[in-house]
Amino acid sequence: MPSDLFPADWLVPFEYTETVLGALKSGKESEVYLVARTAHGRTSLMAEKRFLARERRLFANTYTYAGIWGEGRYRENRAMKKNTRFGQEARHARWISNEWTNLVHLYDAGVTVPPPVELREDGYRMAFIGDGLVAAPRLETVHLDGATAERVWHELVAEIARMLAAERVHGDLSAYNVLWWRERAVLIDFSQTVDVITHPAARELLVRDVTSLARYFARRGVAVDVSNTLARLGADDRRFAHQARSR
Ligand SMILES: Nc1ncnc2c1ncn2[C@@H]1O[C@H](COP(=O)(O)OP(=O)(O)OP(=O)(O)O)[C@@H](O)[C@H]1O
Ligand SMILES: [Mg+2]
């Protein structure tokens, strides 16, 4: 069941007009735009993440990224390996649909993420997390009091558990990829999200995710115990066993 972040009818349904209101963020690899969709006097705000053209993106076939997408069509896989232009295009499209598919999957599993809207050629759209036209801040820049920090740490561990139950590891979780909105932590950016069962680095990424969040919360006075948290999350259970042995 999706989280209770947005009412089911948050998005205006049909006969709408759309306006791009501006850029929320631009960077080397992606840009995020604020888009308004209006119908019958009601407006829904969306965030559109666009991935920059394949030529400008870095496609390092690192250990972490290898195997993210599983098997594709033969021609695509071969082209990607040889890094031809067609291969780069295929990889670009796969990259976008990987992030989109993960967002939808996690939303359906009840993880607190922006409700997904639609996949587009160069990116995807989701609900805008913010108030008025002001985007919610990243957790990194927020000053939580001790009691709130304690609560949010436990809530984020519960979100990680929910992701694991949905067989996913975020892969790039830190206070930079969590938005702080209406006293809640909202997870974003699933570009490095991997499958728990099939990805060789899933356990390693889980450890990294927990460690980097723990560092943030320790700085805010929470007594975090990374090994204990990982144990409670089942980081050593059978699902990861073959990876631990192969190391
Ligand atoms: N749904 C959203 N609502 C509001 N703001 C958003 C949303 N999604 C992304 N943003 C804003 O855009 C920024 C970048 O998004 P994201 O982390 O997905 O992309 P990225 O390519 O990893 O960029 P970066 O390298 O800056 O982290 C976020 O930190 C946030 O400020
Ligand atoms: Mg990010």
Side-chain angles (χ1 to χ4, degrees):
M1 202 186 64
S3 88
D4 57 355
L5 209 58
F6 281 79
D9 65 348
W10 76 272
L11 186 64
V12 297
F14 43 76
E15 292 174 12
Y16 52 74
T17 55
E18 287 184 344
T19 320
V20 178
L21 297 177
L24 291 166
K25 173 258 164 193
S26 55
K28 281 201 305 283
E29 306 233 309
S30 71
E31 292 168 338
V32 181
Y33 290 87
L34 177 60
V35 182
R37 186 180 274 193
T38 303
H40 312 293
R42 192 159 81 90
T43 296
S44 311
L45 292 178
M46 301 177 288
E48 179 176 319
K49 187 167 178 180
R50 288 185 204 156
F51 297 80
L52 299 186
R54 61 188 178 281
E55 291 83 5
R56 291 172 58 191
R57 288 183 52 99
L58 209 89
F59 284 123
N61 192 19
T62 62
Y63 170 66
T64 305
Y65 295 136
I68 279 185
W69 302 292
E71 291 304 300
R73 282 181 291 144
Y74 174 72
R75 179 162 173 252
E76 285 178 3
N77 285 346
R78 207 179 45 155
M80 283 191 281
K81 244 178 233 150
K82 288 165 70 180
N83 215 23
T84 61
R85 190 179 171 81
F86 173 76
Q88 288 171 6
E89 265 166 39
R91 195 175 284 209
H92 183 63
R94 194 98 68 91
W95 182 279
I96 295 170
S97 74
N98 175 63
E99 182 160 341
W100 163 255
T101 307
N102 281 318
L103 172 65
V104 171
H105 182 71
L106 293 174
Y107 176 75
D108 289 344
V111 182
T112 308
V113 299
V117 176
E118 64 195 9
L119 178 65
R120 297 169 70 79
E121 204 179 323
D122 57 353
Y124 66 91
R125 284 172 167 179
M126 64 197 131
F128 170 66
I129 305 298
D131 290 300
L133 299 179
V134 181
R138 303 172 185 213
L139 196 56
E140 179 61 33
T141 66
V142 175
H143 294 284
L144 303 177
D145 63 63
T148 309
E150 178 91 30
R151 165 175 72 83
V152 177
W153 162 248
H154 290 293
E155 286 172 1
L156 283 170
V157 173
E159 298 287 0
I160 295 174
R162 226 166 273 138
M163 286 193 270
L164 286 172
E167 295 175 356
R168 294 294 182 283
V169 172
H170 184 287
D172 191 22
L173 197 54
S174 74
Y176 289 94
N177 282 330
V178 175
L179 301 182
W180 180 245
W181 190 55
R182 301 185 176 169
E183 301 296 307
R184 296 270 298 272
V186 182
L187 277 57
I188 58 164
D189 193 355
F190 308 97
S191 53
Q192 294 176 55
T193 297
V194 300
D195 188 301
V196 164
I197 310 288
T198 60
H199 198 281
R203 186 180 184 283
E204 197 173 303
L205 291 168
L206 174 65
V207 173
R208 199 175 74 178
D209 282 358
V210 171
T211 307
S212 92
L213 277 185
R215 203 175 303 128
Y216 169 89
F217 285 99
R219 278 205 307 273
R220 276 147 184 86
V222 182
V224 293
D225 181 338
V226 171
S227 326
N228 183 274
T229 304
L230 286 167
R232 279 188 292 125
L233 286 167
D236 290 319
D237 84 8
R238 270 181 301 133
R239 283 183 300 184
F240 295 104
H242 70 284
Q243 296 169 23
R245 270 200 305 276
S246 67
R247 235 13 60 88

